[in-house]
Amino acid sequence: MAKPLQVEVYNPNGKYRVISTKPMPGTQWINALIEQDCRLEICTQKKTILSVDDIITLIGDKCDGVIGQLTEDWGEKLFSALSKAGGKAFSNMAVGYNNVDVNAANKYGVAVGNTPGVLTETTAELAASLSLAASRRIVEADEFMRAGLYDGWLPHLFVGNLLKGQTVGVIGAGRIGSAYARMMVEGFKMNLIYFDLYQATRLEKFVTAYGQFLKANGEEPVTWKRASSMDEVLQEADISLHPVLDKTTYHLINKERLAKMKKEAILINCSRGPVVDEVALVEHLRANPMFRVGLDVFEDEPYMKPGLSEMKNAIIVPHIASASKWTREGMAKLAALNVLGKIKGYPVWSDPNRVDPFLNDNAPAPAACPSIVNSKALGLPVSKL
């Protein structure tokens, strides 16, 4: 058993014991729990990633629910421990749940929550930021200035690529991919090519309408095309990846597909690290100095493959796509309400991507769990609100 961990306790006499494995942004999530008679214990141990034994220690003999993080390994041992302690609810403070063995949760009757619907715009904004930073070589130029190397303007100094009139490619045109596409099309007047198994009708209508607006004002209209294959996108455009991670998307971008891209293309990944073969990417960056990449996620997070950090044509940031104040506070509140809702016996919200009613500061949150990924497996009722 792991040693006792430092915790901060709120509402010590509360009826329901809820654990948060990490401090989370804001206070709304804390208030939502303690106002509903929860004793909240927040682990404040100075340790980035808690081990399974650490979390078992936190759970103890009685625990009604846990709010955890995507860095934690939620499998058989943890769900067994939570079930033995009387717990019926766990929520990731994340939209993804690759760290969760949902089958194990089903086995022990534990509801698994996540936090979709609140990350779309902020993730798309980071993808757009990385696109602009890579195209204009902003990080390289910043490092150059800080090193005291600038001694005057030169015609060839940090020449990058113009986005206006170029083609942005999106692989996976779901909510985030479509939001990113809209930003790039409207913000930089880029044409769009996308690949998705499902037609992105709303996105297509948006680009068409914006193209008509530009044409009516005497400008070159933007265009869109739905590619028949992913390779078509790779060959024609800069790329932003937004697929989910599963067996079909593991190493989606590998050595062969990187070779199909333009020599000066820009690859952006704010989705899941293992979608990109990082070893192949390092080799490609080394062989093609004008090829650039912006990464928010990594194959073996928090580690990077050897050589990646040395690449001047790579912009690397530590999984901060959702790191806007509004989004992170919203994620914390949604995770807390998932756990609270299950404890209280509330039904599951019918549309997990429509979360505004839960984040309204001026009205009580609906009596529902915002998003439970295994609600059907557990036979949980759906809210009629």
Side-chain angles (χ1 to χ4, degrees):
M1 184 69 71
K3 295 180 180 179
L5 303 172
Q6 294 179 338
V7 296
E8 188 173 357
V9 180
Y10 291 81
N11 193 30
N13 296 320
K15 179 179 178 180
Y16 310 104
R17 182 170 178 260
V18 175
I19 301 296
S20 176
T21 62
K22 283 282 182 290
M24 299 189 297
T27 58
Q28 288 188 25
W29 71 278
I30 296 173
N31 295 334
L33 290 169
I34 63 178
E35 288 171 3
Q36 293 294 323
D37 205 14
C38 292
R39 171 192 168 100
L40 173 62
E41 298 181 21
I42 304 172
C43 180
T44 57
Q45 193 78 18
K46 299 297 182 183
K47 190 174 183 180
T48 303
I49 300 175
L50 296 183
S51 68
V52 169
D53 285 344
D54 288 333
I55 299 172
I56 288 175
T57 298
L58 288 172
I59 290 171
D61 297 328
K62 182 188 181 300
C63 179
D64 295 286
V66 177
I67 304 166
Q69 304 298 322
L70 55 78
T71 52
E72 299 157 4
D73 183 13
W74 278 84
E76 177 86 17
K77 287 182 68 175
L78 285 181
F79 286 119
S80 173
L82 182 56
S83 178
K84 288 177 182 176
K88 294 295 181 182
F90 163 78
S91 184
N92 252 4
M93 183 198 154
V95 64
Y97 48 95
N98 303 99
N99 61 311
V100 180
D101 183 343
V102 178
N103 289 330
N106 293 340
K107 175 182 174 181
Y108 291 101
V110 177
V112 174
N114 69 336
T115 61
V118 73
L119 299 93
T120 301
E121 299 298 328
T122 191
T123 303
E125 283 180 5
L126 185 76
S129 300
L130 290 173
S131 301
L132 185 59
S135 65
R136 297 304 301 270
R137 304 175 67 182
I138 291 172
V139 174
E140 292 175 77
D142 178 86
E143 292 175 348
F144 181 83
M145 288 296 293
R146 293 177 190 276
L149 299 175
Y150 182 59
D151 55 10
W153 184 89
L154 289 169
H156 293 291
L157 189 62
F158 294 110
V159 172
N161 295 340
L162 180 71
L163 294 177
K164 182 178 182 291
Q166 303 302 307
T167 300
V168 59
V170 175
I171 296 174
R175 290 183 305 277
I176 296 172
S178 291
Y180 166 77
R182 291 195 303 270
M183 290 176 188
M184 303 306 288
V185 169
E186 186 175 18
F188 301 103
K189 298 174 183 175
M190 299 184 76
N191 298 311
L192 169 68
I193 181 171
Y194 79 93
F195 176 76
D196 198 294
L197 296 177
Y198 303 97
Q199 185 173 7
T201 305
R202 291 179 63 186
L203 176 59
E204 292 173 1
K205 289 180 178 178
F206 174 88
V207 180
T208 298
Y210 186 55
Q212 292 169 345
F213 168 81
L214 292 174
K215 187 176 181 179
N217 285 273
E219 297 188 61
E220 187 72 22
V222 293
T223 62
W224 63 266
K225 178 168 70 170
R226 183 185 179 191
S228 59
S229 69
M230 190 171 67
D231 288 352
E232 187 179 353
V233 181
L234 292 168
Q235 291 163 356
E236 291 190 24
D238 301 328
I239 312 297
S240 175
L241 295 175
H242 293 286
V244 297
L245 177 63
D246 58 27
K247 293 178 181 178
T248 66
T249 59
Y250 177 79
H251 282 186
L252 192 69
I253 300 299
N254 53 25
K255 181 177 181 179
E256 292 74 26
R257 286 192 166 127
L258 286 166
K260 293 179 180 180
M261 297 177 69
K262 296 176 182 178
K263 295 295 184 183
E264 295 188 8
I266 299 168
L267 174 68
I268 304 297
N269 188 14
C270 294
S271 58
R272 295 290 181 265
V275 168
V276 176
D277 181 344
E278 221 167 274
V279 171
L281 177 62
V282 171
E283 292 176 1
H284 193 77
L285 289 167
R286 189 174 286 122
N288 299 276
M290 291 309 294
F291 184 94
R292 293 176 214 131
V293 65
L295 300 177
D296 180 54
V297 288
F298 305 91
E299 189 171 351
D300 296 319
E301 203 166 310
Y303 308 106
M304 293 182 287
K305 296 296 186 185
L308 181 59
S309 64
E310 301 161 16
M311 297 293 104
K312 293 292 185 182
N313 47 344
I315 299 175
I316 45 180
V317 295
H319 207 144
I320 58 170
S322 65
S324 66
K325 184 174 183 290
W326 181 84
T327 295
R328 288 282 172 91
E329 290 185 0
M331 292 166 68
K333 187 175 183 182
L334 291 171
L337 291 176
N338 280 331
V339 171
L340 177 64
K342 186 63 174 68
I343 290 172
K344 290 285 191 174
Y346 295 160
V348 178
W349 191 240
S350 59
D351 185 356
N353 293 303
R354 189 171 64 84
V355 296
D356 287 350
F358 294 97
L359 305 178
N360 186 348
D361 296 342
N362 301 315
C369 303
S371 178
I372 302 296
V373 302
N374 59 342
S375 59
K376 289 184 178 179
L378 298 181
L380 302 181
V382 175
S383 172
K384 295 180 181 178
L385 293 175

